Amino acid sequence: MVPRGPPNDYITLYITTGFGRLRNLSVDIDVAPAVKSLDRLDAWIDEQYRNILKWGKKEDNHLSPTIAFYLYGRSFFLKDKAIDAK
């Protein structure tokens, strides 16, 4: 049995972005695990966005380093899976 800890969205984002960077560098790599994680990451950013709408002030800058990193990482997978606009 492999030891597992609690899920960590940042670590998932970090690993997924790494897969995207490798593919972008033309490394022959199976990105299926990274593509599989996109639903979870998209749900995470959707939750962040809803919290900003609920609790944030309109004039504040809500672009945190983690949200910027999500946008960077997600940019490697734009053709793999469409982001649902709600």
Side-chain angles (χ1 to χ4, degrees):
M1 186 163 119
V2 176
R4 293 185 62 140
N8 185 310
D9 294 321
Y10 183 80
I11 296 299
T12 301
L13 172 60
Y14 189 84
I15 293 168
T16 301
T17 300
F19 273 89
R21 292 179 67 197
L22 288 170
R23 183 172 64 176
N24 189 53
L25 293 169
S26 301
V27 174
D28 185 23
I29 186 168
D30 179 15
V31 295
V35 172
K36 187 176 177 183
S37 73
L38 295 177
D39 286 336
R40 179 175 177 87
L41 292 173
D42 290 345
W44 171 81
I45 200 68
D46 185 62
E47 180 183 352
Q48 298 300 310
Y49 178 68
R50 291 177 190 282
N51 284 335
I52 289 169
L53 290 178
K54 185 175 182 180
W55 304 108
K57 294 179 182 174
K58 191 174 185 177
E59 62 275 359
D60 288 345
N61 178 0
H62 301 285
L63 185 61
S64 70
T66 305
I67 291 174
F69 188 48
Y70 165 82
L71 295 171
Y72 169 70
R74 192 63 172 88
S75 71
F76 292 113
F77 298 96
L78 296 177
K79 293 182 181 179
D80 291 292
K81 199 174 253 193
I83 300 172
D84 293 333
K86 294 180 181 181

